[in-house]
Amino acid sequence: MNENIDSQTMVKILKALANPIRLKMIALLHKEPKNVYALAKEMELPYPLAHLHLNGLKKLGLVKEVKTEQKAKGLPTIKYYAPSEFTFILTPENIRKLYVKNKGERNG
Amino acid sequence: MNENIDSQTMVKILKALANPIRLKMIALLHKEPKNVYALAKEMELPYPLAHLHLNGLKKLGLVKEVKTEQKAKGLPTIKYYAPSEFTFILTPENIRKLYVKNKGERNG
DNA sequence: GAGATATGTAATATTTTTCTTATATATAAA
DNA sequence: TTTATATATAAGAAAAATATTACATATCTC
């Protein structure tokens, strides 16, 4: 799956994705990077709610700021987000591996 | 990812896996099929809680009954569970596909 | 000036999830 | 006869997640 991720982190990532709003956000941002305001409009959500959900994804590194734009001085910088290029392969075997502690394996 | 699964079902599956107890259950059952009582003891959980969590996984088809055993007549049948052989590949692209409605594509 | 654009946060309220306690059944072992 | 084995469910309590409302800032268009 993903390099040395532990079970607690995996639970956090799964929790982040296990929500209809956040999952759809990933889908929409993958189609085209968007700012929170545009995302909120498109999804018909109040801005603070959209901001809250996108923030959760951002904190876990599932989405990233990919571009900024300032239309005029004084106006807030518009921030465009896109999903990061994650790949999580969920199988019983991979889930089991999350609990096999990885004692810092390295070459050298 | 997985044959014609829709976003709502995916959210349910992710919710089921996005819990430390349920995720560990999958890991433990993958190592070796177990009954709920044994699982509860091993995880140091009260039986009703273990039963509750395993039931959630069972309802979604993430774990299955693989063997039953009755030690004596009158005694309850011991039910052994193991994870089903699921594979969910989580990528932004696969998540996007969840929202592209699949108009019953078939051959013939 | 009102409404739309655009950001962000805090406080509260609501809803959902999770956990505990209690109930019920039945046998074997100590 | 108490404890351990083994199942299952329901009710209520506690905790966490989710959603709303309000606030603060700033410009542009109508």
Side-chain angles (χ1 to χ4, degrees):
Chain A
M1 193 147 31
N2 356 263
E3 356 62 54
N4 294 6
I5 185 173
D6 60 282
S7 69
Q8 288 162 59
T9 305
M10 183 47 78
V11 167
K12 281 182 193 167
I13 288 167
L14 291 171
K15 265 197 178 129
L17 298 175
N19 174 282
I21 291 177
R22 291 190 293 267
L23 200 68
K24 183 144 203 186
M25 278 183 167
I26 301 246
L28 292 175
L29 293 176
H30 179 70
K31 244 179 46 185
E32 185 185 18
K34 286 174 176 66
N35 59 321
V36 185
Y37 185 80
L39 205 51
K41 260 202 312 180
E42 188 172 350
M43 295 180 74
E44 298 182 72
L45 297 174
Y47 172 81
L49 185 59
H51 182 271
L52 202 84
H53 282 294
L54 191 109
N55 229 247
L57 293 170
K58 202 171 72 177
K59 274 178 185 162
L60 280 169
L62 295 171
V63 302
K64 280 176 183 170
E65 209 181 285
V66 288
K67 194 180 70 174
T68 56
E69 190 182 1
Q70 192 165 25
K71 290 189 177 166
K73 19 79 205 161
L75 253 165
T77 305
I78 303 173
K79 298 177 180 174
Y80 292 85
Y81 296 94
S84 60
E85 289 170 36
F86 58 81
T87 301
F88 301 111
I89 302 174
L90 301 173
T91 64
E93 174 61 14
N94 282 344
I95 290 171
R96 188 194 57 78
K97 282 180 190 161
L98 295 171
Y99 296 90
V100 180
K101 48 201 162 303
N102 193 327
K103 301 149 197 232
E105 64 177 41
R106 59 212 142 109
N107 306 325
Chain B
M1 190 147 31
N2 358 264
E3 357 61 55
N4 294 7
I5 185 173
D6 59 285
S7 68
Q8 288 163 59
T9 306
M10 183 47 78
V11 167
K12 280 182 195 168
I13 288 167
L14 290 171
K15 265 197 178 132
L17 298 175
N19 175 282
I21 291 176
R22 290 190 294 266
L23 200 68
K24 184 145 202 185
M25 278 182 167
I26 301 245
L28 293 175
L29 294 176
H30 179 69
K31 244 180 44 185
E32 185 185 17
K34 285 173 175 66
N35 59 320
V36 184
Y37 184 80
L39 205 51
K41 259 203 309 180
E42 187 171 349
M43 296 180 72
E44 298 182 71
L45 297 173
Y47 172 82
L49 184 59
H51 182 269
L52 204 83
H53 281 295
L54 191 110
N55 229 247
L57 293 169
K58 201 171 73 177
K59 275 178 185 162
L60 280 167
L62 294 171
V63 302
K64 280 176 183 169
E65 210 181 284
V66 288
K67 195 180 71 175
T68 56
E69 191 183 2
Q70 191 165 26
K71 290 189 177 165
K73 18 83 206 155
L75 254 165
T77 305
I78 304 174
K79 297 176 181 176
Y80 293 86
Y81 296 94
S84 61
E85 289 171 36
F86 58 81
T87 301
F88 300 111
I89 302 173
L90 301 173
T91 64
E93 173 61 13
N94 282 345
I95 290 170
R96 188 194 58 78
K97 282 180 191 162
L98 296 172
Y99 296 90
V100 180
K101 46 200 164 305
N102 193 327
K103 301 149 197 230
E105 65 176 42
R106 58 209 143 107
N107 306 325

